[in-house]
Amino acid sequence: MKKITINAKKKVLTAKIFNFIFFLILFSAKAQQINLALGKTVTSSSVDNASLPNSNLTDGNFSTVARTGNAEIPPNAEWFVVDLGGDYFIQKISLGAVVPDNTLSRRFMIVTYPSSLSSLGKNPLTYINNNGAAYNKFFYTSPTSSSDYVFGRTSSNPNIPGNAGQTLGPVFEQGIYRLDLGIHKARYIMLLNLQDTKLEFTELQVMGSSVPVRTFKNGGFEQGTTSTQLIYHLIPEATVEGWSTTEGVAGEPDNIANLINAKGGAIELWRTGMNGIPSYEGNYFAELNSYRSSILQQQPICILPNESFNFSLAHRGRSGTDIMRLVVDDLDVAEFSDSNVQTGTHTGTILPAGTTANLILNKDATTATGWTRYYGTWTNTTGVSRQISFGFKAVSSSTGSVIAGNLLDDVKISALNAIMTFDSKNTSGNENVPTANLPKILINGPLSVARTVQIDLGGTATRGSDYTTVPATGPLTINIPAGNYDGTTNTAISLANIIQINQDLISEGTETIIMTLVDPGTGDLQLADTSSCQGAVSSAIYSITDNVCYKNPVTTGNTLATNMGISAFNRAGAGNGDWPMIRKGGYIALESSTMGMVVTRTTKASIGNPVIGMLIYEINDKCLSVYTSTGWKCYQNFSCPD
């Protein structure tokens, strides 16, 4: 039997031999959306004092405060404007308020607009009364019961900005208000006070939209409501799949008490038969004029260089001849004038911006119920890929009222091929997880028939030993079923069933698999353009990392010696190679070539009073388990502590 020598000066465990016992628990955080407002320039009507600067509004910290003074003279109001630095399709906004609430963040409006537009000033009534449909507006206030005072005005005080503390919206939950909008193009985010006092927020965050589409969703407005009642419904835009509006009034129920869970402005949907008007198709259609002349638009379209798409829509006047325009890429390209009867006016006119885009416009015969279907083609005449908007803007109604008119149904686009890309250019995974973080193939657009996609392989990893594939040699063939794909991971094609990573327990360092998509050449499925708004990735690198930590102990510098050791090699002390002192930075060093350390073998349930840091071998879970501040944690994957 070998002699065991113990040198006990300090209770230290060397990082080289047993660093897998006491290491940090690392949780991989789910990828978060990018805050487009972080660090961006903020201007304001005034700054209350130097300790509350505008920059606090976009510093990423909900505990700092930006506050204006109260120098503006009504009808102008105090304001903040955040410049995102460029146009983005935005979808979500979060605002922070001080806790406990001091009412300075409780009555305001949000106005967003792109670079192509300019501010109309800082008078809130300009935006409330303005029928310029391109501005996205949203109001945070408590209205009166009268629709004439829906923005918080009262008969005794009809002014905006109104008296401080008057008709306030609800207190932010835990100091944060989250507005889930539809999708709107914006560069500027303006916060405009609706009360005559200081305006204060702790933070503004702006999140971008999802991937632009290649086919429309919910073009017939069949998703959004299931009501069978013959009444109109004001539906929050964020709950009507595929559609957004610049209408600023909150959706059903039609009052601001619902603001704290706001889902954007209102999209007005009608059930077929409402006011004796049948839908063009399906059970529902939309009224473009909800409370004012707004824009109703679909999700942004990803359009490739010099690519064309076909579109169609059905339009009808409500009580007479209503006029609306088709807006593509923020430009009015066509105008439609339609009566509510078959024999009335039904005309479609190409506007100058439509001529520039080689717009083609035709129509079917008007139906007996007054609907006219228009159809045509729009072309991206530029040499670059673009993310463009597609929507409809109310111009006028037969009654002269902005709150009634322009019925819309059955909106479609077609003739856009599906495009494909990897979801990431660089991913990695540990070799002990067979399919960890493998890239996925994103498909965007419709496929009427199933297709196959080829992937060529390269890299430093050895196929057959470091990883295996189906088939074992040659290019990989991926089957893509027919269907509508939205370009996100929700409809992505996984590679987990054809690529498996092998655990070889050999220290080889990081190895790579390079995967390259090959253009299928089928016409209806193609590689995304390298400059695409889809963010094309035709070649992805997957890095295989070792599952064991092979780092050497620190032996230089001022690191303390390890003064306690248990050795199976009959050595210890200064006369025996300075062992274990040479193993710097530990509390205890263990060494043997034939023996290991055995920890307590038991179950978590058998330990009545566990303490943080306690380590056992859990015989039911078959793993090392350590007790932490959040309970027992089972270690199944090896890793380095840092």
Side-chain angles (χ1 to χ4, degrees), residues 10 12 554-563 580-587:
K10 289 187 178 181
V12 186
V554 178
T555 59
T556 60
N558 296 323
T559 305
L560 296 176
T562 301
N563 291 322
M581 292 80 75
I582 196 174
R583 307 300 186 210
K584 303 292 185 179
Y587 284 101

Side-chain angles (χ1 to χ4, degrees), residues 154-170:
T154 66
S155 57
S156 61
N157 189 347
N159 300 313
I160 292 182
N163 294 338
Q166 181 188 62
T167 55
L168 301 177

Side-chain angles (χ1 to χ4, degrees), residues 214 304 307 417-421 519-529:
R214 302 275 289 176
L304 303 183
E307 188 176 32
N417 297 330
I419 57 177
M420 64 177 180
T421 174
D519 194 328
T522 59
D524 60 347
L525 179 61
Q526 64 188 78
L527 287 173
D529 182 76

Side-chain angles (χ1 to χ4, degrees), residues 214-342:
R214 302 275 289 176
T215 184
F216 280 169
K217 297 179 179 178
N218 194 22
F221 303 99
E222 298 304 299
Q223 289 82 47
T225 180
T226 58
S227 174
T228 59
Q229 293 180 295
L230 295 182
I231 60 175
Y232 68 89
H233 299 273
L234 296 176
I235 310 299
E237 62 181 309
T239 64
V240 181
E241 185 178 24
W243 291 98
S244 302
T245 181
T246 57
E247 171 58 64
V249 176
E252 200 170 34
D254 186 22
N255 60 71
I256 313 300
N258 195 40
L259 265 179
I260 204 66
N261 297 309
K263 300 293 183 181
I267 294 177
E268 186 170 336
L269 300 184
W270 288 29
R271 173 83 181 184
T272 185
M274 164 80 173
N275 285 352
I277 302 172
S279 61
Y280 180 81
E281 63 84 37
N283 292 317
Y284 304 95
F285 57 94
E287 183 178 34
L288 187 55
N289 297 61
S290 181
Y291 273 92
R292 58 191 45 77
S293 296
S294 58
I295 281 182
L296 189 61
Q297 62 186 20
Q298 260 282 342
Q299 286 182 246
I301 306 169
C302 177
I303 187 81
L304 303 183
N306 303 307
E307 188 176 32
S308 299
F309 61 81
N310 300 329
F311 65 87
S312 64
L313 61 110
H315 182 234
R316 183 190 190 278
R318 173 175 167 172
S319 303
T321 300
D322 297 339
I323 302 175
M324 74 172 189
R325 287 183 173 181
L326 172 62
V327 183
V328 181
D329 198 27
D330 300 326
L331 298 174
D332 296 358
V333 298
E335 184 171 278
F336 307 96
S337 300
D338 285 284
S339 176
N340 61 329
V341 295
Q342 188 177 32

Side-chain angles (χ1 to χ4, degrees), residues 79-413:
W79 54 271
F80 291 104
V81 173
V82 176
D83 182 356
L84 300 180
D87 288 320
Y88 295 91
F89 283 96
I90 66 171
Q91 191 167 17
K92 296 182 180 181
I93 291 176
S94 295
L95 281 171
V98 297
V99 179
D101 177 73
N102 62 8
T103 76
L104 297 183
S105 311
R106 295 266 302 284
R107 190 178 176 203
F108 59 91
M109 65 187 303
I110 300 173
V111 181
T112 72
Y113 51 96
S115 297
S116 59
L117 300 176
S118 60
S119 170
L120 294 179
K122 304 303 186 295
N123 179 350
L125 284 174
T126 303
Y127 296 94
I128 291 172
N129 297 326
N130 176 37
N131 290 318
Y135 288 88
N136 186 41
K137 303 173 283 289
F138 192 78
F139 309 97
Y140 195 89
T141 178
S142 178
T144 65
S145 58
S146 169
S147 61
D148 291 337
Y149 299 108
V150 71
F151 307 111
R153 291 172 285 183
T154 66
S155 57
S156 61
N157 189 347
N159 300 313
I160 292 182
N163 294 338
Q166 181 188 62
T167 55
L168 301 177
V171 176
F172 292 4
E173 290 183 352
Q174 297 180 335
I176 300 178
Y177 170 59
R178 295 177 175 88
L179 175 60
D180 188 356
L181 294 162
I183 299 172
H184 303 275
K185 181 184 283 189
R187 172 173 177 171
Y188 301 100
I189 315 296
M190 181 166 65
L191 306 174
L192 192 56
N193 214 351
L194 296 180
Q195 54 178 336
D196 187 14
T197 185
K198 299 175 181 180
L199 184 63
E200 175 184 83
F201 295 99
T202 61
E203 190 69 16
L204 170 69
Q205 294 186 348
V206 179
M207 302 301 175
S209 71
S210 57
V211 174
V213 300
R214 302 275 289 176
T215 184
F216 280 169
K217 297 179 179 178
N218 194 22
F221 303 99
E222 298 304 299
Q223 289 82 47
T225 180
T226 58
S227 174
T228 59
Q229 293 180 295
L230 295 182
I231 60 175
Y232 68 89
H233 299 273
L234 296 176
I235 310 299
E237 62 181 309
T239 64
V240 181
E241 185 178 24
W243 291 98
S244 302
T245 181
T246 57
E247 171 58 64
V249 176
E252 200 170 34
D254 186 22
N255 60 71
I256 313 300
N258 195 40
L259 265 179
I260 204 66
N261 297 309
K263 300 293 183 181
I267 294 177
E268 186 170 336
L269 300 184
W270 288 29
R271 173 83 181 184
T272 185
M274 164 80 173
N275 285 352
I277 302 172
S279 61
Y280 180 81
E281 63 84 37
N283 292 317
Y284 304 95
F285 57 94
E287 183 178 34
L288 187 55
N289 297 61
S290 181
Y291 273 92
R292 58 191 45 77
S293 296
S294 58
I295 281 182
L296 189 61
Q297 62 186 20
Q298 260 282 342
Q299 286 182 246
I301 306 169
C302 177
I303 187 81
L304 303 183
N306 303 307
E307 188 176 32
S308 299
F309 61 81
N310 300 329
F311 65 87
S312 64
L313 61 110
H315 182 234
R316 183 190 190 278
R318 173 175 167 172
S319 303
T321 300
D322 297 339
I323 302 175
M324 74 172 189
R325 287 183 173 181
L326 172 62
V327 183
V328 181
D329 198 27
D330 300 326
L331 298 174
D332 296 358
V333 298
E335 184 171 278
F336 307 96
S337 300
D338 285 284
S339 176
N340 61 329
V341 295
Q342 188 177 32
T343 57
T345 300
H346 299 283
T347 60
T349 304
I350 298 175
L351 301 176
T355 302
T356 302
N358 296 332
L359 187 75
I360 299 172
L361 187 63
N362 296 285
K363 68 174 182 177
D364 291 336
T366 301
T367 68
T369 55
W371 288 95
T372 302
R373 177 182 176 268
Y374 296 91
Y375 60 94
T377 302
W378 185 91
T379 301
N380 176 16
T381 56
T382 70
V384 296
S385 293
R386 302 162 67 191
Q387 186 176 177
I388 65 168
S389 58
F390 183 99
F392 304 93
K393 178 171 68 176
V395 176
S396 66
S397 67
S398 62
T399 63
S401 171
V402 298
I403 68 171
N406 286 295
L407 307 181
L408 182 67
D409 202 357
D410 197 27
V411 181
K412 297 177 181 177
I413 61 168

